[in-house]
Amino acid sequence: MDKLTEIRWHGRGGQGAVTSAELTALAAIKEGKFAQAFPSFGPERRGAPVLAFNRISESEHIRVRSAVTQPDIVVVLDPGLLYIVDVTSGLKDGGALIINSSKKLVDIKLEFGGPWQLAVVNATTIALELLKVPIVNTTMLGALLKVSDAIKLDFLLEPIEERFGKLAQRNIEACKRAYEETSVAEPSPTSKKVERAYAKESWPSWQELAPGFVVTEPGNARSYRTGDWRAQCPEWNHDRCIKCGICSLFCPEDCIRPNERGYPEADLYYCKGCGICARECWTQAITMGEEVKE
Amino acid sequence: MKRVGFESSFAIAEAVKMANIDVTSAYPITPQTHIVERIAQLIADGELDANYIPVESEHSAMSGCLGASAVGARTFTATAGQGLELMHEVLYVASSMRLPIVMSVCNRALSSPLSIWGDHSDVMAVRDTGWIQIFAENAQQAFDLTLCAFRIAEDPAVLLPTMVHIDGFHLSHVIESVLLPEVDEVNKFLPKFHPLYALNPSKPLTMGDFATPDLYTEAKKGQDEALRNSMKVILQAWREFGGLFERDYFPVETYRTEDADVLLLTMGSFSEVAMGAIDRLREAGEKVGLVKLRLWRPFPFDEFCQAVAQAKLLIVLDRAISFGGPGPVCSEAKAALYHLEKKPQIIGFIGGLGGRDISVEGFQDMIHRGMDKAEQGKFEEFEIFGVRG
Ligand code: SF4
Ligand code: SF4
């Protein structure tokens, strides 16, 4: 059988992980290879952790359609995900882990080094500078090009042009700049994976479900910490705010409440950083700042 | 207990009255109209204290039933043919939300060409919706089995919606004698409905939620187990009914099958006609018998195999076509018997479509044709009985 390269993309709804996977597959196919791209289908909400997958084969149609659980390459579009999702799960020895982070390679390596190549790029800053939005899909493709020959830049250009039209040039620039700025550390076969207590998903057996799939604790969305999804954080400028309440009406998480002085404030347990409040505020009292998370 | 002359539809309405339902949400359609008209009359006359929700379609009728049953109301509706088809998607919701709605279905052909007359096309089209499906053969059974349906559906170990099938016109519009029990006897048999879960603003819960791939399979497994396990409760309910009212019902019933070589399998009102044919053939010395399928879902595998395994030939009448495939009852019979060492050969007929009669002579003829075909080894053929040309 042909060599198969499997890629798993970790992103958040709206960050473009699915687009990254699609462009990767299109570039591989243009080059004459066989490839697949697909998302982990689900109820996608802006900011929710999402997965996308690629399989690339030199010369054979790919039959397997199940999710990639033992990837050769893992790409993480959002540094916040590192602490809530086990991104290295199943990552093969000798594979590659590519992370978007403002941290230095040496610091990241302490936490996420392993028997895989480690690549780090500050993709959010590049995207904000060149594209003016924190969407890092094309930027992270540059980092992928740096560590893998699964796809090549020449074949990526056309798919990017088709997808982004007028914005294509800036996306290509972002991709190239990321290629230049990605720093790479070679695998350290001896180093062990740092064990983290990731929230384990456990599902009930059929006997444990209530008859008729009735949910007996209503309002359990309250315990759902959508704040974990946040990549950017709303900041209020009180000099501009006229306390009209519009932002709180539009917040999809309904998490904006007036503080004791009557100014709106987001409950960060729920605020997912979607930026809708900032978009809707008519006095531009809200700006979205970069989230610093540990 | 008193003996009265009743149209089957009215007998069903009488059972619904004695069951003292809380809500009906219904839309009239031939040949079911008499049932809901009668119920409307009973409510208007103050004989039945229930809410009648008149709706604009069967889709809404069943949706109304969902809501009523979900708050814990004893709920009934009736439909037929196209009406049952229009309810189709809501039927799945009723069973998967485990809402014990009882529904009379006056089995009717499906368009086109438009036919208001009876066959089992509508019954078979809803086979996989997760409802319990019971067949009645006469007005008395229509009455009895409607009462039993509430008892079965609402049992806390079941909580599944239940259809009682009566053949359109051939049964729905026939006036026969019916023995009516006293209300207090009925009350002994049919306790009040105590829902396991009910929508209630002061004790909120969610029904009909969303399931990701991690949960959907388990939800469906639970539902399927519930339908399979309902068999125990069905048997128990019919046993108790028999004890109280001296009329016995079984998932599979047999007529003169002792040492029969050839068996005919039927469902619904045509079964009684077929009994006449069996009588005549027995008189002529032929070793034939009749097997009647009373319970269609859950399918009574054990009882069915037991009833037919010893025969040499089983002739199956389907009153519905599965276009391009064998008749649905015939396929089920074959699937049920496949694993047995000793089993009869099977000949399938399609017949009685869109209200076409099959007489006693017709059934005699069908049995003989079946025997001939078996002799000639024509097992793969699905003959439409009596078709011209
Ligand atoms: S919409 Fe803008 S001005 Fe209005 S309350 Fe919100 S922050 Fe203040
Ligand atoms: S506070 Fe603003 S950024 Fe946070 S969830 Fe609400 S609208 Fe989105």
Side-chain angles (χ1 to χ4, degrees), chain A residues 215-232:
Chain A
V215 180
T216 49
E217 22 148 5
N220 57 11
R222 229 176 256 286
S223 58
Y224 197 4
R225 189 184 197 120
T226 42
D228 272 349
W229 302 358
R230 199 170 55 245
Q232 287 191 305

Side-chain angles (χ1 to χ4, degrees), chain B residues 138-206:
Chain B
N138 55 39
Q140 183 69 59
Q141 293 184 2
F143 175 88
D144 293 351
L145 294 170
T146 302
L147 272 187
C148 292
F150 286 104
R151 163 77 186 258
I152 294 164
E154 294 169 359
D155 190 294
V158 176
L159 292 175
L160 283 169
T162 303
M163 292 182 206
V164 179
H165 290 282
I166 66 167
D167 287 333
F169 290 113
H170 274 106
L171 187 48
S172 63
H173 284 56
V174 173
I175 295 177
E176 296 185 323
S177 68
V178 181
L179 285 169
L180 291 184
E182 300 301 327
V183 174
D184 48 331
E185 289 178 295
V186 170
N187 290 343
K188 260 186 256 162
F189 175 71
L190 183 62
K192 280 202 160 39
F193 172 36
H194 297 290
L196 185 59
Y197 298 112
L199 293 181
N200 177 347
S202 59
K203 249 185 96 193
L205 45 77
T206 305

Side-chain angles (χ1 to χ4, degrees), chain A residues 122-136 139 170-171 173-174 177-178 181 232 290:
Chain A
N122 191 349
T124 307
T125 303
I126 299 175
L128 282 172
E129 276 179 36
L130 293 176
L131 309 170
K132 315 287 178 230
V133 284
I135 297 178
V136 296
T139 314
R170 279 193 267 160
N171 277 281
E173 265 173 61
R177 198 168 129 197
E181 293 182 12
Q232 287 191 305
E290 203 189 327

Side-chain angles (χ1 to χ4, degrees), chain B residues 44-313:
Chain B
D45 292 348
E47 285 191 51
L48 170 60
D49 180 18
N51 281 307
Y52 188 110
I53 309 172
V55 286
E56 86 297 348
S57 76
E58 285 84 359
H59 192 280
S60 302
M62 187 44 65
S63 302
C65 288
L66 286 189
S69 189
V71 300
R74 180 169 281 171
T75 306
F76 173 86
T77 191
T79 194
Q82 306 301 133
L84 187 58
E85 283 301 280
L86 190 50
M87 285 180 179
H88 199 99
E89 61 164 337
V90 195
L91 298 176
Y92 285 89
V93 183
S95 59
S96 48
M97 281 170 47
R98 305 285 295 276
L99 301 174
I101 300 158
V102 171
M103 172 157 70
S104 295
V105 175
C106 297
N107 314 329
R108 173 183 150 171
L110 296 174
S111 291
S112 118
L114 175 68
S115 166
I116 55 169
W117 294 274
D119 72 21
H120 295 170
S121 304
D122 54 352
V123 182
M124 295 303 151
V126 299
R127 180 192 66 181
D128 299 336
T129 56
W131 285 54
I132 294 171
Q133 290 180 278
I134 300 166
F135 271 80
E137 293 158 24
N138 55 39
Q140 183 69 59
Q141 293 184 2
F143 175 88
D144 293 351
L145 294 170
T146 302
L147 272 187
C148 292
F150 286 104
R151 163 77 186 258
I152 294 164
E154 294 169 359
D155 190 294
V158 176
L159 292 175
L160 283 169
T162 303
M163 292 182 206
V164 179
H165 290 282
I166 66 167
D167 287 333
F169 290 113
H170 274 106
L171 187 48
S172 63
H173 284 56
V174 173
I175 295 177
E176 296 185 323
S177 68
V178 181
L179 285 169
L180 291 184
E182 300 301 327
V183 174
D184 48 331
E185 289 178 295
V186 170
N187 290 343
K188 260 186 256 162
F189 175 71
L190 183 62
K192 280 202 160 39
F193 172 36
H194 297 290
L196 185 59
Y197 298 112
L199 293 181
N200 177 347
S202 59
K203 249 185 96 193
L205 45 77
T206 305
M207 290 184 179
D209 206 357
F210 161 93
T212 58
D214 309 295
L215 285 165
Y216 188 82
T217 304
E218 282 67 28
K220 290 294 118 176
K221 168 72 176 167
Q223 187 188 342
D224 185 52
E225 283 288 328
L227 185 55
R228 286 169 197 276
N229 288 334
S230 70
M231 187 67 96
K232 288 185 217 115
V233 177
I234 294 170
L235 293 173
Q236 171 66 22
W238 284 346
R239 202 176 307 130
E240 251 179 68
F241 187 90
L244 282 168
F245 303 105
E246 292 171 357
R247 284 184 299 279
D248 296 317
Y249 295 104
F250 301 97
V252 177
E253 291 171 17
T254 55
Y255 182 69
R256 302 186 79 170
T257 53
E258 328 69 58
D259 59 273
D261 292 328
V262 179
L263 295 175
L264 176 67
L265 177 65
T266 55
M267 292 163 93
S269 64
F270 279 25
S271 302
E272 293 204 327
V273 185
M275 285 158 100
I278 299 295
D279 285 342
R280 289 198 195 169
L281 295 174
R282 278 282 183 180
E283 272 160 41
E286 297 191 43
K287 286 166 107 182
V288 296
L290 181 70
V291 176
K292 306 183 287 182
L293 208 49
R294 174 158 318 286
L295 190 61
W296 176 233
R297 280 294 181 274
F299 190 83
F301 286 99
D302 295 343
E303 292 85 348
F304 175 73
C305 291
Q306 223 161 45
V308 305
Q310 298 308 317
K312 294 198 176 82
L313 176 65

Side-chain angles (χ1 to χ4, degrees), chain B residues 295-340:
Chain B
L295 190 61
W296 176 233
R297 280 294 181 274
F299 190 83
F301 286 99
D302 295 343
E303 292 85 348
F304 175 73
C305 291
Q306 223 161 45
V308 305
Q310 298 308 317
K312 294 198 176 82
L313 176 65
L314 176 67
I315 299 166
V316 182
L317 171 65
D318 261 293
R319 290 192 65 196
I321 296 189
S322 167
F323 299 100
V329 183
C330 191
S331 340
E332 204 78 341
K334 287 183 175 176
L337 294 168
Y338 186 77
H339 66 287
L340 296 185

Side-chain angles (χ1 to χ4, degrees), chain A residues 101-143:
Chain A
S101 172
S102 56
K103 288 191 190 164
K104 289 206 173 63
L105 180 62
V106 280
D107 297 327
I108 291 271
K109 198 172 172 188
L110 286 175
E111 290 186 281
F112 295 97
W116 43 72
Q117 239 183 358
L118 184 67
V120 177
V121 62
N122 191 349
T124 307
T125 303
I126 299 175
L128 282 172
E129 276 179 36
L130 293 176
L131 309 170
K132 315 287 178 230
V133 284
I135 297 178
V136 296
N137 46 14
T138 44
T139 314
M140 290 307 281
L141 285 170

Side-chain angles (χ1 to χ4, degrees), chain A residues 30-293:
Chain A
K30 261 211 176 340
E31 194 185 334
K33 296 180 178 178
F34 288 78
Q36 282 180 340
F38 57 98
S40 64
F41 307 96
E44 250 124 71
R45 291 166 68 189
R46 184 166 275 259
V50 294
L51 296 174
F53 307 102
N54 280 122
R55 286 194 180 86
I56 300 169
S57 153
E58 295 299 316
S59 58
E60 272 177 9
H61 168 70
I62 302 157
R63 296 197 195 118
V64 58
R65 280 167 206 287
S66 44
V68 171
T69 53
Q70 292 183 304
D72 299 282
I73 300 171
V74 170
V75 190
V76 183
L77 273 65
D78 185 318
L81 290 171
L82 293 169
Y83 303 97
I84 57 171
V85 181
D86 184 5
V87 297
T88 60
S89 163
L91 178 58
K92 285 184 193 142
D93 284 7
L97 173 62
I98 307 171
I99 296 173
N100 166 22
S101 172
S102 56
K103 288 191 190 164
K104 289 206 173 63
L105 180 62
V106 280
D107 297 327
I108 291 271
K109 198 172 172 188
L110 286 175
E111 290 186 281
F112 295 97
W116 43 72
Q117 239 183 358
L118 184 67
V120 177
V121 62
N122 191 349
T124 307
T125 303
I126 299 175
L128 282 172
E129 276 179 36
L130 293 176
L131 309 170
K132 315 287 178 230
V133 284
I135 297 178
V136 296
N137 46 14
T138 44
T139 314
M140 290 307 281
L141 285 170
L144 175 65
L145 289 169
K146 182 86 164 230
V147 301
S148 165
D149 57 3
I151 55 165
K152 300 199 174 61
L153 180 62
D154 289 351
F155 299 103
L156 196 53
L157 298 178
E158 216 179 292
I160 291 181
E161 275 158 16
E162 275 168 20
R163 174 64 60 100
F164 294 102
K166 275 199 293 221
L167 296 173
Q169 219 35 55
R170 279 193 267 160
N171 277 281
I172 291 167
E173 265 173 61
C175 176
K176 286 181 174 164
R177 198 168 129 197
Y179 180 88
E180 298 303 330
E181 293 182 12
T182 299
S183 35
V184 183
E186 285 314 305
S188 38
T190 48
S191 77
K192 279 224 177 66
K193 189 170 148 181
V194 179
E195 287 302 331
R196 256 171 237 284
Y198 291 105
K200 265 232 177 63
E201 278 188 314
S202 81
W203 299 102
S205 67
W206 68 265
Q207 292 95 335
E208 289 167 311
L209 294 176
F213 202 63
V214 164
V215 180
T216 49
E217 22 148 5
N220 57 11
R222 229 176 256 286
S223 58
Y224 197 4
R225 189 184 197 120
T226 42
D228 272 349
W229 302 358
R230 199 170 55 245
Q232 287 191 305
C233 194
E235 283 154 18
W236 270 264
N237 176 352
H238 291 170
D239 295 341
R240 300 190 77 117
C241 175
I242 57 166
K243 301 182 180 174
C244 67
I246 291 288
C247 51
S248 75
L249 285 178
F250 277 90
C251 171
E253 293 299 325
D254 189 22
C255 71
I256 302 176
R257 294 281 181 276
N259 63 15
E260 61 291 350
R261 288 161 55 217
Y263 287 111
E265 214 171 76
D267 182 340
L268 295 181
Y269 188 90
Y270 299 112
C271 168
K272 59 182 185 176
C274 65
I276 289 173
C277 51
R279 173 75 65 106
E280 293 300 332
C281 171
W282 47 4
T283 67
Q284 278 99 45
I286 309 172
T287 46
M288 298 302 291
E290 203 189 327
E291 174 77 13
V292 197
K293 225 193 258 185

